Amino acid sequence: MEGGESSAQIIKNAPSVLKADIWTHYGFYELKGKNELDKSHAVCKVCHTKIKYLGVNTTFLRNHLSRFHCEKLTPATKKTADPAQRRIDETLSTFPPNSEKAKKITQSVAAFIAKDLRPYSVVENAGFRHLLKKLEPRYKLPSRSHFTENVIPALYNGTKAQVMASMIQAKRVAITCDAWTCVATESYLTVTAHYFSEDWQFLSHVLQTRAVYESQQLLSRVVEEWKLSDKDVVLVTDNASNIITAAEFGKFPHVKCFAHTLNLASQRALKPMKDATTLMSEESNPTVSLIAPINAQLFQDMTGTIGDSPMIHAIKNAIKTDLLKMYNSEAEKKILHTASALDPRFKGLPFLTVEERLEVYRGVTEEAASLENERTLRRTEVTEAPEVTGTLEEETPDGPSAPKRKASSSSLL
């Protein structure tokens, strides 16, 4: 930027080819001795300041006008970008659907749905769409049906091909099955394959989850679909009867899941324990009177029966042995049994023998009689006490003592 020239020098208007509104306030000087404009510098018509002109860019011209002659600015001259530039941005506002960038983002959305087990409707959620718009404004999220009919099926087929190519290298494959029921009470079966890779890496893949309609043929179809017929498949399942039938139908070598067997045995053995815990938890104000009857019931339930398996018998015996260590002192028993006898729910003491029951009742009766006798004695003492006034004086060797205060009723009690 250079200082203004002499006011006598005339500023010529900019050529008509320069159509930007900013040229209303700028022109050019003529070259000395020549009938042509000096376009190396634009000249401000307000203060005659010369500003180097670069041919196309009018940023310097706008900055000068904004800084020194802001009153000359109009809405048109305040624009920071040319209309032509805005039109280019508009043409680039969204990625073409077949562009590599758009494809990668769409694949990432599909992976998010698959890996996080999200519903297809997530692509219609306002928050999710807002997030993608902020991350990449030029990306247009495809419709829900596009993911349902095209993107997710393509992702599944590609992943399935990779898993099959990996399993085909294995010599043997083990299959585990897990039967479960959804909240809508529909039964499903999830099938998982396990095998060693060529470099002895242990790999597992969830092959499929299917609704159980024809359970007898389901496992055979899994083996056929995933081309495992020559892999000497070994089947490990839970103890559900329909799954055992399916294993027998397919003539697979079959092993029952030991963890599930332990779980069932523990549930059967610990169901008294569960009821007792639930009862104590449901009590808003649990009292000590509950302990003796519940403990006695647990002790009875933990006694082995003829139909118990060795495992259940061992579990019961362990619990019973532990229960025997608790509340076994005579002092504790007396407290617990007395509390139960005073509770209307357990006053019959059905969990004790006849002798024990009579002993508890005798103790409760004696305690009640003792309390009644003590209360009667106190009432008698209050009734028979002589009336005491505040005017009596007690003689002492040194003379009359200070008058005694009138006894209060509280001191007599």
Side-chain angles (χ1 to χ4, degrees):
M1 184 180 297
E2 300 179 5
E5 295 283 335
S6 171
S7 58
Q9 194 170 3
I10 300 175
I11 301 175
K12 300 290 186 180
N13 290 333
S16 58
V17 294
L18 302 178
K19 299 183 181 299
D21 293 337
I22 196 68
W23 289 109
T24 304
H25 307 285
Y26 289 92
F28 297 100
Y29 286 138
E30 286 186 339
L31 291 172
K32 293 181 179 180
K34 297 182 180 179
N35 190 20
E36 59 181 284
L37 299 176
D38 181 7
K39 294 183 180 179
S40 62
H41 292 82
V43 184
C44 175
K45 292 182 179 181
V46 181
C47 62
H48 291 208
T49 297
K50 292 175 64 178
I51 302 173
K52 190 171 183 63
Y53 178 56
L54 302 178
V56 177
N57 196 324
T58 61
T59 302
F60 291 155
L61 306 183
R62 294 181 187 279
N63 290 343
H64 172 79
L65 204 66
S66 176
R67 182 177 180 183
F68 298 103
H69 315 293
C70 58
E71 73 280 359
K72 300 293 183 180
L73 291 175
T74 63
T77 57
K78 290 180 181 179
K79 295 178 181 179
T80 58
D82 292 335
Q85 183 65 35
R86 291 197 303 275
R87 287 195 296 270
I88 293 175
D89 290 344
E90 291 172 358
T91 60
L92 299 178
S93 60
T94 58
F95 290 130
N98 59 346
S99 68
E100 289 302 317
K101 182 71 172 179
K103 288 180 180 179
K104 289 181 179 180
I105 298 177
T106 300
Q107 289 297 320
S108 298
V109 174
F112 159 70
I113 293 174
K115 290 186 176 182
D116 287 358
L117 300 178
R118 306 305 302 168
Y120 289 117
S121 60
V122 71
V123 300
E124 298 174 346
N125 292 349
F128 183 72
R129 299 180 71 89
H130 175 74
L131 172 65
L132 290 183
K133 190 68 176 177
K134 286 295 183 181
L135 294 176
E136 182 47 83
R138 293 170 293 176
Y139 174 69
K140 184 177 181 181
L141 184 64
S143 65
R144 171 179 176 174
S145 60
H146 181 70
F147 282 96
T148 305
E149 300 169 4
N150 301 297
V151 185
I152 296 295
L155 179 62
Y156 171 78
N157 292 331
T159 304
K160 182 178 180 180
Q162 293 177 5
V163 172
M164 293 182 67
S166 177
M167 286 197 301
I168 202 171
Q169 306 296 328
K171 302 297 182 182
R172 303 193 69 177
V173 175
I175 290 180
T176 56
C177 302
D178 184 21
W180 52 278
T181 304
C182 70
V183 292
T185 67
E186 295 180 353
S187 297
Y188 291 87
L189 184 70
T190 298
V191 180
T192 307
H194 313 270
Y195 61 97
F196 284 98
S197 64
E198 290 184 320
D199 57 350
W200 288 96
Q201 295 294 319
F202 184 71
L203 304 177
S204 297
H205 300 291
V206 176
L207 301 184
Q208 62 186 43
T209 297
R210 296 285 188 270
V212 179
Y213 298 118
E214 301 177 3
S215 57
Q216 288 188 349
Q217 301 178 8
L218 182 59
L219 296 178
S220 299
R221 290 176 178 173
V222 171
V223 172
E224 180 180 354
E225 178 182 350
W226 291 87
K227 303 185 185 306
L228 302 175
S229 302
D230 61 340
K231 302 301 179 185
D232 295 327
V233 173
V234 177
L235 187 62
V236 180
T237 72
D238 57 25
N239 293 269
S241 58
N242 58 341
I243 302 302
I244 294 176
T245 302
E248 294 174 349
F249 180 83
K251 299 180 179 179
F252 299 108
H254 181 217
V255 178
K256 296 177 182 177
C257 177
F258 185 59
H260 189 252
T261 301
L262 284 176
N263 180 265
L264 293 178
S266 299
Q267 288 186 30
R268 285 193 291 268
L270 300 177
K271 187 177 185 303
M273 300 297 291
K274 177 183 178 182
D275 294 342
T277 303
T278 301
L279 176 62
M280 294 298 294
S281 301
E282 289 177 348
E283 287 282 331
S284 57
N285 296 298
T287 60
V288 72
S289 61
L290 287 169
I291 297 178
I294 292 180
N295 191 60
Q297 184 64 49
L298 288 175
F299 187 81
Q300 179 181 340
D301 292 338
M302 290 302 109
T303 302
T305 60
I306 298 177
D308 289 343
S309 67
M311 183 180 300
I312 293 180
H313 180 76
I315 293 174
K316 285 185 174 181
N317 188 57
I319 296 175
K320 183 178 180 179
T321 301
D322 198 59
L323 289 175
L324 284 172
K325 300 177 183 178
M326 306 298 176
Y327 313 117
N328 55 4
S329 71
E330 292 302 321
E332 285 180 308
K333 289 181 181 179
K334 183 179 179 180
I335 294 173
L336 299 181
H337 294 169
T338 301
S340 298
L342 297 175
D343 191 323
R345 297 173 295 177
F346 314 115
K347 63 181 180 179
L349 303 178
F351 52 90
L352 297 180
T353 64
V354 176
E355 293 77 10
E356 291 173 330
R357 199 177 306 151
L358 292 175
E359 181 64 25
V360 173
Y361 289 154
R362 186 181 300 109
V364 172
T365 303
E366 291 176 354
E367 183 71 17
S370 175
L371 292 174
E372 181 62 24
N373 290 336
E374 183 179 347
R375 186 169 61 175
T376 301
L377 179 60
R378 288 183 178 180
R379 285 201 300 266
T380 302
E381 291 176 349
V382 172
T383 303
E384 296 179 352
E387 183 177 357
V388 180
T389 65
T391 60
L392 296 179
E393 295 184 358
E394 183 179 350
E395 293 290 338
T396 65
D398 298 328
S401 63
K404 290 185 177 181
R405 295 180 181 178
K406 186 177 180 179
S408 65
S409 59
S410 61
S411 65
L412 295 176
L413 295 177

